[in-house]
Every structure is written in structure tokens, then in C-alpha cells.
Amino acid sequence: MTVSAIQIRDLSKTFGGGRSLLGKARHEVRAVKSVSLDVASGETLAVVGESGSGKSTLARMLVGLEAPTAGSLMIGGKDAGALRREGPRAFGKMIQYVFQDPVASLNPRKTIRDILDTPLKLLCGYEAARRTARMRELLDAVQMPEDTLTRYPHEFSGGQAQRIAIARALAAEAEIIVLDEPVSALDVSVQAQVLLLLRDLKVRFGLSYLFISHDLAVVEAISDRVAVMYFGEVVETAPAARLFANPGHAYTQRLVASAPRIRRE
Amino acid sequence: MSALAEAPASKAPRRITSWHLLLNNRLATAGLVLLGLIALLILLVPILPLPDPDATAPADRLKPLLTAGHLLGTDQLGRDILSRLLWGTRISIAVGFAATLIAALIGSAIGIVAGYAGGRTDNAMMRGIDMLMAFPYILLALAIVAALGPGLMNALYAIAVVNIPFFARNVRGVTLGYVHREFVDAARLSGKGNLSIILTEVLPNVLPVIIITMSTTAGWMILETAGLSFLGLGAQPPQADLGSMLGEGRAQLFTAPHVSIVPGVMIFFIVISLNVLGDGVRDVLDPRLRSGALARPGPVTEVASGRAMPANAVADAALSMAGLETGFRRGGAVVPAVCGVSLHVKPGECLGLIGESGSGKSVTALSVMGLVASPPGLICNGAVYLGNEDVLAMPETRLIASRGSRVAYVFQDPLTTLHPMYPVGRQVEEAIAAHQSIGAAACRERAVALLDKVGIPEARERAKHYPHQLSGGQRQRVGIAMALANDPDVIVADEPTTALDVTVQARILELLRDLQRERGMALLFITHDFGVVSEICDRVAVMKDGEIVETGETRAVLANPQHAYTKRLIACVPELGTGERFLERVAGLFAGGKEQAS
């Protein structure tokens, strides 16, 4: 293994806290408590946990939308604090993010061309002709027709919108992508197609994924390793197959037992 | 793919419909026409053959209306009122609109920056706005004019400043709603800076609100300009504007009322036309109003008069639907959502209704008790038998009385179905009291017993809590308690566990199954999750595009699906223990069908 795509050491995030003007302690929420994780280059690490377990806060810290309270964060071998000081562009070129609700992540008043143009222009610095060519390549990669460019987000179904959002993440040419519940809002057949697309893109562009989900079966299908989060802490990390066959932590056992299964007998 | 093909065709007419919507509103059209006439008149003023508005003629003073040469008479100095009226209207409208523009520009800028920046910046800016608002507006305008000196321009500044808070507050509120939206985060990750995000991401979304606010405040601003001029702080003699004409005419109110009535009527026309037009513009631009929030749905879904009523096929069913067709009126046509669905649930049985989004499962569930909002909903055909009685043929009062007592609903998101301002215990009491006349104390005891029954610990204490103090699972338990309140024969559960975590979902399913078995209720369970179906349902119906494609015993359907759609759907469900083989399986399913990728 060469350089880790993501290296997290004792990362913490606390919301609120401190003291008010009158010296009264404010209510404090420790969303992420001293988490350490590694994502090797080319690997898919899944983070599972229930709502409120701190998965999304962790993801937002990784892409620089949230500043960590403590701990260190290395992305592609560079310190995240240094990247943050360089501004949003430095961050965007290293790591990208795919949101849970694809329709909400696309500005309703912009065409798909405008949406895809921004990262190509600001992050990659391509000139107009090259941007147009690149947009075509990207749409082709996510299997969308070319006339997509002139349309508005509300004209697409959830699955199509998620493909566009993935194309936008790819446009930045970052090799690390954080996927925050990318298929939770989709119907099962569309979900399967998007998972398939994600796997193909990973091989084709040599990507590393941090895949956040609450659905254990989806996680098992796509990830190499799984980290289980519970109340802001990582309670267990193991290869996917081992974790679900033989969960170690009590919470993981409960999670695996609660997952709805199709009983055919 | 068909949605893709239709989209461009529907785009061109949409822009016209905004205009049509405005013209459909008769009041707004009247306002538009009146305003158009006034605008035309004042634009033509310089070329109309009017006497000099400032030329005095003491010999001709206070001539009445319709005097030869002076259509609207003359004022106390013998000046032609028609000429002064038109020139004055020109000035009043110009000042009013200029003030609106200035207030909108500065106010919106403050609002958008405060809303976007948040924290201390927001606090500082908004407290400044609050201070501006704390003064009575006329006093503030007077103070500004007093400081700057009287004159039309100073009156304009005063009115603009006074109205800044109005824009700032409105725009800040809307901006706050957009700043935490995901597309703003996405733009930041695409490398956009703050200024660029404000101008290109937030502003286009906030713009309709700014236009709406402008259209509703312009009339008010013209009124305020007139007010200041009336007090002698705006237009200075001999210049005419509507307010100063009113002020000058005041002294002759009893001897020559027309001198003040004429400008008064003009102000009235301008303001009323602007206000009705503004309301019309708001109705057209506000997406919430456009989507039909103004159309008040009736208490019961409309049922087509000539509907086909198939007989009840399953006599011992608790609930049976026969050939149900429900659609939505759009324009002149009815777009079908449910096409000929026949289903039944027997007492003590659980029927799962499964399908992907847009398959019509929720509309089916709502049609059962006539809960589809109408307009635009319409039940075109079919019958719904509760026992042996057709629900759709029931008189309205009887149908409403059956809701909750014979058929009860449990919805997906308990946070939106519970009232946030009442304790949960009281909401359960309300559900009981709606159908049973028992004393308040007995009602309270029943509510506590119900909450205890659905597994809420320390029910008596928890009954006093508000919905936001409960966890998602507990809120759904309260929703189930309310459904159980009147011992219904049938419970319709519409995705009751979709919003919950898996560990909580498992417990809620267990609760529903136990309650259903214990009370012998029929349960119609709507979901998109095959895992959930296999946990709780005895039989399952698979729905696609408004039709039932397959029905059967749950185990049989899951183990050996007959219809191609069911097969594909089940194959797409990832299962624990399959691991990477899942993607291989799915890849085979979609291979050669890339055009289906949607």
C-alpha cells in the first residue's frame, strides 16, 4: 500500500458548548468522538450507523464543509487544515461529495450545463471548448443522453438526478469521493443500477470511495471494509464479509439481526 | 424514457401558462388594465393638449367639474385640475416606484447577506433593521425629512429607508431556507466563493420573493409619498403631486369638494389596482400557492357520477376494493393514477401492497376513505366495500364518521402528522373523543392505557410530552395508538417504518403484528421494501403503474414470483450474505438494457 487516500486520527467534532455571555455552560453535542479510520487508495470503505450516529458529520468534515474540533485529517497525503487554508478549490480537487437527496443537491434554477460547467471551470481551469468535450465524456460515463445538458433538474427522476450529481463529482477529477447515502432515496431497481455504475466508475477512473449508508445489504454488496459507527464512535472495523457473518460488537450484532430479510421458506 | 421524450414539449407552453394564470384571476386583470390605462395617460401627458399645470388665473378660481375648458374644474388659484392631476400622478408614481426600487435593492442586499452569513453578522444587521422598524414609519420619515429638509427627493429617500426593513426581513427569511440546502454545499465543493454563491446560486431562487414583495408594497409607497406631500414635506409649490393637491384642497373641502376628491380618487385607483395586481402576481409566482394550496380541497374525494360499481367479490372481507380507478384532473383531461385495482383484506389478515415510487400505492390507500384531495382528485370507477357497504356511496357525514372508527390510518412521518403544539396524550384523547362520548377523566385514562399498550414506557408521564420530545420510534407508536383509539376493523399503514432506523423498524413491525393478531384487525400495509413485507404480511400485492401485476401468499410470491416485473424487483433487492455476488446478479439483469438506465 502506498499513500492512504484518507487517514483520520482521533477526529472529533463538538457542536455548541462553550459559555454564554453570562458564563452559563451551553448545551454541547459531541457528534463525532475521537474517530480513527484509514481508506487505502482504490478501496471502498463503508461507514454504517443509524441516524444521529455522526456519519454525515464525519463526511462533511472530510470534504471541508465542517471544521473538526480536534484530531488530524490527511487527504491524499495532504493535511486537511492546510487544504482548508488554501480555499475551497484546493479541497474540491482532492475530494468530492455525492449527496443523499440528488434533486436537492442540484440548483432548481440552473441547467445541467451550468451545474457541470462550474467544477470544470473553477477546479480544472479548462477553456470553453475543452469543457464542452469533457461534459460529453462525463455524461457518457454516467450513461445519460447528451441532451441532458439543456434541461433543468426537476425534469429528471431521482435516479437520473443522482447520475448527474455523480457526473459533477467526477468533473472535479478528484480521486476520492465521499458518498453520503447515495442510493437511500432511490427505488430498488434504480438503486441497483446506480450501485453498478459506481462500481464500474471506480474501476475505470481508479477512485477511492467512502460510502456512507444505513443499509447493511447495500454496504455488503459494494464495500471492501466496513466501519460501524454508534453514537459518534467507531465501534468495529472489519472486512465486509467477516463483519456480517460474525459481528463482534453487541451493537453490530443487533444491527445485523434487525435487518429485514426476505424469507422464502 | 417516455418522461424524457415528453419533457421538452411541455416546456414551451409553461411560460404562457404563468401569463394565463394571471389573466385567469379577474381582479388582477382588472388591476392590470386600470394600471395600464393610467400608465398610458401619464406617458402621453407631455404631448396631450393640456394647459400649463402651474399657470394661475385668480378670475377662474374654484370652477366646478365639467366647466368648458376645464374638464375637472379649477383649484383655489384657478389652475386646471386635470392638467395638475396628470402631471401630479406622473410624479407620484415615479417617486413611488423609485422608492420601491431603492428599498428593494438595499433591503434585499442586507437580507441576503445577513441570511447567508448567519451568526454575528446576521445578528448585527438584523438588530439594526429592528431599530429601524421600532420607529413608527411616519415619524421616522418625518425625522429624515426634517434632517434633510423638505423636498421631493428627500421624501423619496425617507420612504425608501422606511421600507428597507420590510424587504430585509422577507428576503433574509427566504435566504435562510436556501443557505443550508444541499445545492449550496455542492456549489462550494465545485469551487465557488461566497460572493459567487450569493449571486448565482441563492439570488435566482430568492428573486421571485423580491418581486412579490415589490409588487405588494409599491401601492403602499405611493400612499406614503402622498402622505408626506400632504403634510407639506414632499413636493413643494407650485409643483403638483397627488399628496400636495390633496393638502391644498383640504381648505376648500366644504365649498369646493372636487378639488380634493379628484386627486383622492386617483390615489385610490392607483393603489387598489397595484394591490390587486400584486396579489395576482404573488399567486402566480409563489410555487406553494401555485401547487394548489389556495384551492380548498373538499372533505371527501369527488366520485364520478356514472361510475361502474362492480359487486363485492369477497363477501367475508373486512375491506374490499373492486375495479378502483382514481385519477387527477389536469386541464380538461383526467390523468389516471390507479387503474382498476381489486384487492381485499380479511379480518385478522395483513395484506402488503408493494411498488416503486409513483406506482399509485398511496393513492390507492387514500381512495379507500375518500381522502385523495379533490380537486384535483377524482374516483372515476369502482367500489370500496367495508363489510358489505360501499364507502363511495355513503352520505358524506357517515363516511367522515367512519374514518378513524372503522378504518384508521398510520402515516409515514409521525413528526408531520402529530400536531407540534399539543402534548401527545391530548392528541390521543382527541382521537377517542371524536367518536365516543365519554367523560374527560375516562378519556384520559383510555389514552394512557393506549399509550401503555403500544409500548411507551411510563405512559402517564410521557402523555404530557410534546411530539418533538419523543424519538422517531416513539412518535410512530403514538401514531399507532391514535389509530387504535376506536377499535377500527381495518388499519391502513402507509410506509409506517420507512423513516425509522432498522433496529427501531424491527420493533415497530413486531408491535403492529402483535396488535393485529390480538385484535383480529385487517391490516393493509403499504411499503416499497420486500424485507418488511416478508416480516409482516400474509399476502402481498405487487403494484406497477397503477395496476396490480401479481397477488398471492407472501412466501409463494417471494420464493417463486410469476410476473417478470416482480422477478426483476426481487432480484434488485440486496440481501445480507450475498456480498459482491449481488452486483454480478444485477449486472446480468441490466446487461443489454442500457437504454433502460433511468
Side-chain angles (χ1 to χ4, degrees):
Chain A
M1 214 191 308
T2 53
V3 151
S4 297
I6 301 174
Q7 192 183 57
I8 304 172
R9 289 287 172 270
D10 300 323
L11 196 69
S12 300
K13 176 74 192 178
T14 307
F15 290 105
R19 290 183 178 277
S20 68
L21 278 179
L22 299 174
K24 213 171 113 187
R26 284 211 187 96
H27 181 62
E28 132 180 331
V29 179
R30 295 175 67 197
V32 175
K33 301 173 200 163
S34 187
V35 164
S36 299
L37 282 175
D38 285 283
V39 182
S41 180
E43 186 189 36
T44 300
L45 174 73
V47 176
V48 297
E50 305 205 330
S51 47
S53 62
K55 310 181 297 268
S56 287
T57 309
L58 178 68
R60 291 175 62 85
M61 282 194 282
L62 282 174
V63 294
L65 288 172
E66 213 72 77
T69 315
S72 79
L73 183 57
M74 304 277 276
I75 295 164
K78 291 186 193 167
D79 181 51
L83 282 176
R84 177 188 300 280
R85 279 188 290 280
E86 283 178 53
R89 290 183 194 185
F91 240 109
K93 259 188 280 190
M94 294 302 300
I95 187 164
Q96 278 292 328
Y97 193 81
V98 174
F99 295 84
Q100 172 171 4
D101 184 350
V103 180
S105 76
L106 304 172
N107 190 337
R109 296 193 180 260
K110 287 181 168 259
T111 60
I112 306 306
R113 181 187 298 280
D114 293 334
I115 290 170
L116 289 180
D117 196 53
T118 314
L120 290 173
K121 190 157 107 188
L122 297 177
L123 295 177
C124 303
Y126 293 152
E127 70 278 15
R130 182 143 179 225
R131 290 206 295 270
T132 313
R134 185 87 181 100
M135 273 186 231
R136 273 199 208 110
E137 283 171 33
L138 287 169
L139 286 181
D140 186 53
V142 296
Q143 297 154 19
M144 289 290 287
E146 208 183 304
D147 62 349
T148 303
L149 288 178
T150 54
R151 302 259 182 78
Y152 286 89
H154 67 86
E155 295 173 42
F156 297 98
S157 66
Q160 291 171 326
Q162 195 59 290
R163 283 168 192 273
I164 294 165
I166 292 170
R168 171 175 59 190
L170 291 175
E173 293 175 10
E175 284 177 357
I176 309 165
I177 296 186
V178 177
L179 302 137
D180 190 356
E181 306 254 11
V183 294
S184 307
L186 309 175
D187 282 323
V188 279
S189 61
V190 180
Q191 165 178 307
Q193 292 175 58
V194 171
L195 287 175
L196 212 53
L197 173 72
L198 285 172
R199 186 193 64 170
D200 294 346
L201 291 174
K202 183 183 157 189
V203 177
R204 188 162 153 194
F205 297 109
L207 304 171
S208 312
Y209 288 154
L210 187 101
F211 189 99
I212 293 176
S213 181
H214 67 273
D215 189 330
L216 302 182
V218 165
V219 160
E220 195 194 9
I222 193 149
S223 60
D224 302 316
R225 284 190 309 134
V226 182
V228 182
M229 274 189 94
Y230 184 59
F231 284 113
E233 284 174 278
V234 172
V235 295
E236 190 168 6
T237 314
R242 214 235 348 104
L243 186 84
F244 295 121
N246 184 18
H249 193 271
Y251 173 71
T252 319
Q253 288 165 0
R254 204 161 82 227
L255 210 56
V256 172
S258 308
R261 286 182 171 78
I262 300 184
R263 279 191 225 132
R264 295 201 166 84
E265 300 315 311
Chain B
M1 272 295 128
S2 62
L4 275 181
E6 281 161 18
S10 65
K11 223 187 147 200
R14 194 174 303 146
R15 208 160 292 146
I16 304 168
T17 48
S18 276
W19 185 240
H20 273 276
L21 267 176
L22 186 64
L23 292 187
N24 272 345
N25 182 339
R26 271 189 217 157
L27 265 179
T29 316
L32 186 67
V33 169
L34 191 57
L35 201 64
L37 277 177
I38 296 172
L40 191 72
L41 264 179
I42 60 171
L43 282 178
L44 292 178
V45 168
I47 55 166
L48 286 179
L50 289 171
D52 180 356
D54 299 334
T56 56
D60 286 338
R61 60 194 293 271
L62 297 179
K63 284 271 191 292
L65 298 178
L66 304 175
T67 312
H70 302 290
L71 194 58
L72 294 179
T74 57
D75 67 3
Q76 70 284 5
L77 296 175
R79 296 174 293 198
D80 182 61
I81 292 183
L82 178 64
S83 170
R84 284 181 73 75
L85 182 76
L86 291 181
W87 283 101
T89 306
R90 208 172 143 96
I91 286 172
S92 286
I93 288 186
V95 170
F97 277 99
T100 310
L101 269 180
I102 296 172
L105 205 68
I106 300 176
S108 307
I110 293 176
I112 223 169
V113 169
Y116 182 79
R120 294 219 170 99
T121 321
D122 179 29
N123 221 331
M125 284 174 126
M126 281 300 124
R127 295 302 78 81
I129 293 293
D130 284 348
M131 275 194 269
L132 214 52
M133 266 189 124
F135 286 102
Y137 85 93
I138 196 84
L139 202 65
L140 183 62
L142 282 174
I144 294 171
V145 172
L148 298 175
L152 209 49
M153 284 314 281
N154 293 344
L156 190 158
Y157 298 143
I159 290 159
V161 168
V162 165
N163 283 291
I164 285 175
F166 203 69
F167 283 91
R169 304 210 112 202
N170 265 330
V171 170
R172 172 182 171 268
V174 188
T175 309
L176 273 182
Y178 283 108
V179 165
H180 299 291
R181 291 279 287 275
E182 296 179 340
F183 67 78
V184 172
D185 283 339
R188 200 166 289 143
L189 291 172
S190 297
K192 281 194 177 179
N194 288 334
L195 186 66
S196 164
I197 288 178
I198 286 183
L199 291 180
T200 63
E201 303 283 335
V202 179
L203 185 63
N205 286 293
V206 174
L207 204 57
V209 177
I210 299 178
I211 293 173
I212 290 165
T213 315
M214 278 172 79
S215 68
T216 45
T217 50
W220 188 15
M221 301 248 199
I222 288 172
L223 218 52
E224 286 172 11
T225 322
L228 282 184
S229 291
F230 180 82
L231 296 174
L233 300 168
Q236 296 302 304
Q239 190 179 36
D241 90 336
L242 294 175
S244 63
M245 286 176 73
L246 261 183
E248 287 161 12
R250 189 179 44 161
Q252 285 78 37
L253 194 60
F254 296 106
T255 50
H258 69 277
V259 179
S260 42
I261 287 175
V262 167
V265 168
M266 189 54 137
I267 292 176
F268 170 77
F269 278 140
I270 295 172
V271 174
I272 194 94
S273 63
L274 270 171
N275 282 350
V276 293
L277 180 63
D279 278 352
V281 168
R282 189 194 54 204
D283 291 356
V284 170
L285 285 184
D286 194 329
R288 215 167 43 87
L289 297 180
R290 231 181 135 155
S291 64
L294 281 183
R296 214 176 305 149
V300 173
T301 311
E302 189 186 340
V303 180
S305 51
R307 73 185 158 113
M309 282 186 280
N312 190 358
V314 190
D316 59 343
L319 173 74
S320 159
M321 288 170 242
L324 185 71
E325 282 179 33
T326 306
F328 294 96
R329 285 181 197 279
R330 194 174 299 158
V334 175
V335 182
V338 176
C339 321
V341 164
S342 300
L343 284 176
H344 69 271
V345 204
K346 293 183 180 167
E349 187 187 41
C350 174
L351 173 71
L353 184 57
I354 193 164
E356 300 198 278
S357 49
S359 60
K361 42 189 202 309
S362 286
V363 178
T364 309
L366 291 173
S367 300
V368 169
M369 288 317 267
L371 285 170
V372 181
S374 212
L378 172 71
I379 296 177
C380 318
N381 273 316
V384 177
Y385 294 100
L386 200 56
N388 260 324
E389 197 179 1
D390 183 6
V391 175
L392 303 179
M394 279 183 191
E396 204 168 272
T397 46
R398 192 166 149 65
L399 172 53
I400 291 170
S402 304
R403 290 177 181 164
S405 64
R406 300 182 66 187
V407 178
Y409 281 82
V410 178
F411 292 101
Q412 175 173 349
D413 185 359
L415 194 55
T416 54
T417 45
L418 291 177
H419 196 295
M421 303 296 279
Y422 292 115
V424 291
R426 208 175 130 192
Q427 301 189 47
V428 180
E429 285 171 39
E430 212 168 46
I432 301 171
H435 294 283
Q436 303 169 32
S437 43
I438 53 173
C443 198
R444 198 168 308 130
E445 286 311 309
R446 294 262 335 245
V448 171
L450 276 168
L451 289 175
D452 190 48
K453 178 89 210 157
V454 295
I456 289 186
E458 296 164 44
R460 197 167 293 277
E461 274 309 301
R462 289 305 243 173
K464 294 177 193 144
H465 286 192
Y466 290 90
H468 69 91
Q469 292 171 300
L470 270 53
S471 70
Q474 284 182 325
R475 280 196 293 261
Q476 195 55 291
R477 285 173 193 269
V478 174
I480 294 170
M482 287 172 72
L484 289 176
N486 297 294
D487 262 324
D489 306 327
V490 183
I491 286 192
V492 180
D494 191 351
E495 306 247 13
T497 58
T498 305
L500 305 175
D501 286 324
V502 276
T503 51
V504 183
Q505 165 171 299
R507 276 181 247 132
I508 294 282
L509 289 178
E510 205 176 302
L511 169 71
L512 273 172
R513 196 174 42 215
D514 291 348
L515 286 171
Q516 182 227 352
R517 293 212 176 125
E518 185 189 316
R519 305 201 170 198
M521 291 179 305
L523 182 58
L524 176 59
F525 196 99
I526 294 162
T527 181
H528 65 275
D529 189 332
F530 275 103
V532 170
V533 164
S534 110
E535 294 281 332
I536 190 168
C537 299
D538 303 310
R539 284 190 308 124
V540 62
V542 184
M543 201 162 179
K544 184 195 183 215
D545 298 335
E547 286 174 55
I548 303 286
V549 296
E550 185 166 359
T551 323
E553 297 290 322
T554 306
R555 301 243 160 114
V557 171
L558 293 179
N560 187 19
Q562 297 300 311
H563 195 278
Y565 177 73
T566 321
K567 281 182 193 162
R568 214 179 84 147
L569 214 52
I570 293 179
C572 284
V573 180
E575 279 176 274
L576 269 186
T578 320
E580 286 176 14
R581 288 192 312 273
F582 168 72
L583 285 178
E584 305 303 328
R585 186 176 83 199
V586 179
L589 213 59
F590 293 108
K594 281 210 168 156
E595 70 274 11
Q596 284 183 325
S598 56

